[in-house]
Amino acid sequence: MAQKVLVLGATGETGREIVNALLAAGTFDVTALVRPSSATKPAVLALEPTGVHLLIASLDLPVETLAAQIKPYHTIISCIGPMHQLAQLPLIAATALAGTQRFVPCGFTTICPPGGVMYMRDEKERVYQALWVAKVPYTIIDVGFWHQISFLTLPSGRSKYAAIFEFKEVYAGGEAKTLLIDKSDVGRFVARIVADERTVNKKVVAWGEERTQREIKAIMEEVSGETLDNLVEVSESQVRANAVECLAAFEAEDNMQTRFGLYNGQYNLSKFVRGDNTLTNALYLGYLDAHVLYPDISPVAFRDYAREIIEGKAVAVYADGFPS
Amino acid sequence: MAQKVLVLGATGETGREIVNALLAAGTFDVTALVRPSSATKPAVLALEPTGVHLLIASLDLPVETLAAQIKPYHTIISCIGPMHQLAQLPLIAATALAGTQRFVPCGFTTICPPGGVMYMRDEKERVYQALWVAKVPYTIIDVGFWHQISFLTLPSGRSKYAAIFEFKEVYAGGEAKTLLIDKSDVGRFVARIVADERTVNKKVVAWGEERTQREIKAIMEEVSGETLDNLVEVSESQVRANAVECLAAFEAEDNMQTRFGLYNGQYNLSKFVRGDNTLTNALYLGYLDAHVLYPDISPVAFRDYAREIIEGKAVAVYADGFPS
Ligand SMILES: NC(=O)c1ccc[n+]([C@@H]2O[C@H](COP(=O)([O-])OP(=O)(O)OC[C@H]3O[C@@H](n4cnc5c(N)ncnc54)[C@H](OP(=O)(O)O)[C@@H]3O)[C@@H](O)[C@H]2O)c1
Ligand SMILES: NC(=O)c1ccc[n+]([C@@H]2O[C@H](COP(=O)([O-])OP(=O)(O)OC[C@H]3O[C@@H](n4cnc5c(N)ncnc54)[C@H](OP(=O)(O)O)[C@@H]3O)[C@@H](O)[C@H]2O)c1
């Protein structure tokens, strides 16, 4: 019998990759958990024809009501937007009541310890702690930084269509190794992980390759034939100062803009100065390595993604506007 | 060459068991890290004749100075008193600088998740997060509740000498299984764990047996021949209400008394109502089981400890007064 999976955030960047991979696997019965205010969004309406069922429910329902609604699902995967991590808390209470067999909280971020490095990571930790307090079976899945937001902008303008921003900054010397992944591979790994008993009550890191920004530059140059003389060096002390400024702005006012600035500034600090987003650090922090678990998956190499850009085949993320 | 181990809190209840076991193993070179204000305490002076070296140093030294002092030690074990968990934070910064190969933070408590269940546990979690942020190799060791404070008082008064308090309360029906350990076994397990590469960057649960308070009562009756008609039933709702009251008193004023009340009230909630302190929960939370790692260790059974009480051989813990 197909495993019944409920996905929160099915229309998001991460969620749609997971839904696609679950459908492609053919062994899951997939339902999207959609908040009432989003029920008539085109992206939601587009789900049903692909074979995805809809469960329209607010996370703010009384916990018993929500528990009754989610009871039929074996596995719940949350890929809620980065700004809304704590909205998962009532769902966890319901999950505990419903006896859900596996809850995958919204990790899907780079490797970074909890404890003041990244505000977003610490919000995720609050969600994980709620799972542990409620004794809910879980799998935390973190991933490399997406190829789709790790490339460097080509001077010719040929990469412009592939992102809503330009990526010209090389941080702290560009020598820090950092885990990358093609966004589509997030789905491929997740579909395997949630069907695997070895990953129950574990953390798993899913990734494609580990690269420095210097290597990314070299690959972009090799694949495009261009010279990336458009890049801007941002020193370690500038990265540190920026993270401090972003935190001050966020503490003065918590809104989407200050949050976005904070997340971005702290990602740069964590990835490029602290060197947190590495396989070595993931293993230190207790993650299982998805490459070891699933040696048959060959993830999309960054070089292949760079070729997609050149060939006009890349798809910009957040094309409809940034997460809010 | 003997492994050089530095122990913070060597004169405490937990610390002295660990020091004794390290000395007994014969493969460690043991040094006690003692704060200057305690340098002339009798318990400290008594350490040297047993073969323990002394390092008198304040944790509030400049971090580089402290790092230079602790650099010679391969392993650092902290068994600092329950009220002073955060005093470990500067030591962790120094450990990171010194390149210490293993830091054992002050766990040594029952199994309980972080996230608002026990204030003391959450202070420990702040220390663990500081380790992870600093990427210091670590082993977290938690243990059963000591036999020495888990027994039930005999009506005859024959157990009076074995504890500075009376233990007459049976909580929430007395049916919750909870991990126990003889305090001396904490040392025996720790001496093995810190010599074992399998436990680097892991959590380990060391325990003797899993028992309910009803079983403890039955064992006390069997071993003593007495009927424990002196016990007081404390209902689940009373345990819950007490924990709430203790938290309010602590929030109104943080002092040794309110902290002690809070720790006690939350231990009861966690162990006897939530059922956190079990092997199942430890495995769920990712602990390695010391029974599996060291099948040759046969821990002191609670029944044997109960016999020690009857035979007048038990040693009261905190006989010189409670931790402050
Ligand atoms: N590794 C990387 O490079 C990388 C990059 C970006 C993000 N991430 C991580 O990926 C995770 C998901 O982010 P994303 O960017 O994929 O998300 P996203 O594209 O912003 O999509 C968010 C999804 O969550 C839903 N949602 C948002 N708020 C909700 C709420 N309060 N209640 C119910 N549903 C809600 C949205 O549906 P509606 O239509 O109802 O709004 C949407 O389906 C985040 O945790 C983030 O940290 C990782
Ligand atoms: N599993 C159980 O049943 C159980 C029971 C009790 C405790 N525990 C746990 O065991 C751990 C240790 O507690 P304990 O009761 O064994 O400790 P303890 O007997 O109170 O001893 C504390 C030790 O730490 C030292 N110390 C205290 N504050 C210090 C500071 N600020 N700087 C440097 N040294 C300091 C003390 O030395 P000084 O002479 O310098 O004060 C002493 O050596 C705690 O984490 C607690 O949670 C577990």
Side-chain angles (χ1 to χ4, degrees), chain B residues 21-39:
Chain B
L22 292 174
L23 293 173
T27 50
F28 300 95
D29 181 0
V30 185
T31 301
L33 173 54
V34 177
R35 49 178 166 176
S37 57
S38 301

Side-chain angles (χ1 to χ4, degrees), chain A residues 61-175:
Chain A
L61 285 171
V63 64
E64 291 81 7
T65 314
L66 187 57
Q69 301 250 27
I70 66 175
K71 207 175 169 63
Y73 304 96
H74 177 280
T75 300
I76 300 180
I77 304 175
S78 166
C79 350
I80 196 164
M83 312 292 182
H84 302 279
Q85 298 300 303
L86 301 185
Q88 296 172 86
L89 293 173
L91 182 58
I92 289 171
T95 305
L97 264 188
T100 305
Q101 276 158 278
R102 167 145 38 185
F103 187 87
V104 179
C106 186
F108 305 115
T109 187
T110 51
I111 301 302
C112 175
V117 179
M118 288 187 69
Y119 189 90
M120 183 184 72
R121 178 65 184 77
D122 287 349
E123 284 201 339
K124 290 179 191 287
E125 191 73 6
R126 284 182 59 186
V127 173
Y128 304 159
Q129 292 189 348
L131 285 169
W132 300 328
V133 168
K135 302 188 175 85
V136 173
Y138 71 93
T139 304
I140 293 167
I141 304 172
D142 282 316
V143 300
F145 209 67
W146 303 337
H147 291 343
Q148 284 77 359
I149 48 179
S150 294
F151 74 87
L152 290 164
T153 298
L154 295 173
S156 65
R158 282 193 293 168
S159 65
K160 203 161 192 294
Y161 79 96
I164 60 168
F165 283 139
E166 297 218 296
F167 303 122
K168 292 187 171 178
E169 287 80 17
V170 173
Y171 297 98
E175 300 291 2

Side-chain angles (χ1 to χ4, degrees), chain B residues 169-236:
Chain B
E169 287 80 15
V170 173
Y171 297 99
E175 300 291 3
K177 290 246 179 223
T178 184
L179 293 172
L180 303 179
I181 193 167
D182 193 85
K183 192 166 71 82
S184 66
D185 283 329
V186 176
R188 292 169 71 200
F189 278 111
V190 170
R192 295 291 290 276
I193 292 167
V194 297
D196 185 347
E197 284 301 311
R198 294 174 299 175
T199 61
V200 177
N201 302 331
K202 295 281 191 296
K203 299 187 280 193
V204 182
V205 57
W207 56 289
E209 55 192 310
E210 203 172 54
R211 290 279 182 202
T212 68
Q213 282 196 295
R214 292 268 162 252
E215 289 168 356
I216 287 174
K217 176 174 182 252
I219 293 169
M220 295 294 298
E221 292 187 332
E222 179 200 317
V223 167
S224 68
E226 301 184 31
T227 300
L228 271 68
D229 52 10
N230 55 332
L231 303 183
V232 181
E233 301 282 337
V234 181
S235 71
E236 174 178 329

Side-chain angles (χ1 to χ4, degrees), chain A residues 113-115 117 125 129 131-133 135-138 201 274-276 281 284-285, chain B residues 113-115 117 125 129 131-133 135-138 201 274-276 281 284-285:
Chain A
V117 179
E125 191 73 6
Q129 292 189 348
L131 285 169
W132 300 328
V133 168
K135 302 188 175 85
V136 173
Y138 71 93
N201 301 332
R274 289 183 39 83
D276 285 330
N281 199 36
Y284 163 74
L285 291 169
Chain B
V117 178
E125 191 73 9
Q129 292 189 348
L131 286 169
W132 300 328
V133 169
K135 303 189 175 85
V136 173
Y138 71 93
N201 302 331
R274 290 183 36 85
D276 286 329
N281 200 34
Y284 162 75
L285 291 169

Side-chain angles (χ1 to χ4, degrees), chain B residues 9 11-14 35 38 41 81-82 85 106 108 124 144 146 318 323:
Chain B
T11 57
E13 290 294 340
T14 303
R35 49 178 166 176
S38 301
K41 282 191 181 177
Q85 297 299 303
C106 186
F108 304 116
K124 290 179 191 286
W146 302 337
Y318 305 116

Side-chain angles (χ1 to χ4, degrees), chain B residues 12 47 74 82-83 85 155 164 177 216 225 238 258 282 305:
Chain B
L47 284 170
H74 177 281
M83 312 291 181
Q85 297 299 303
I164 60 170
K177 290 246 179 223
I216 287 174
Q238 283 172 303
T258 57
Y305 172 72

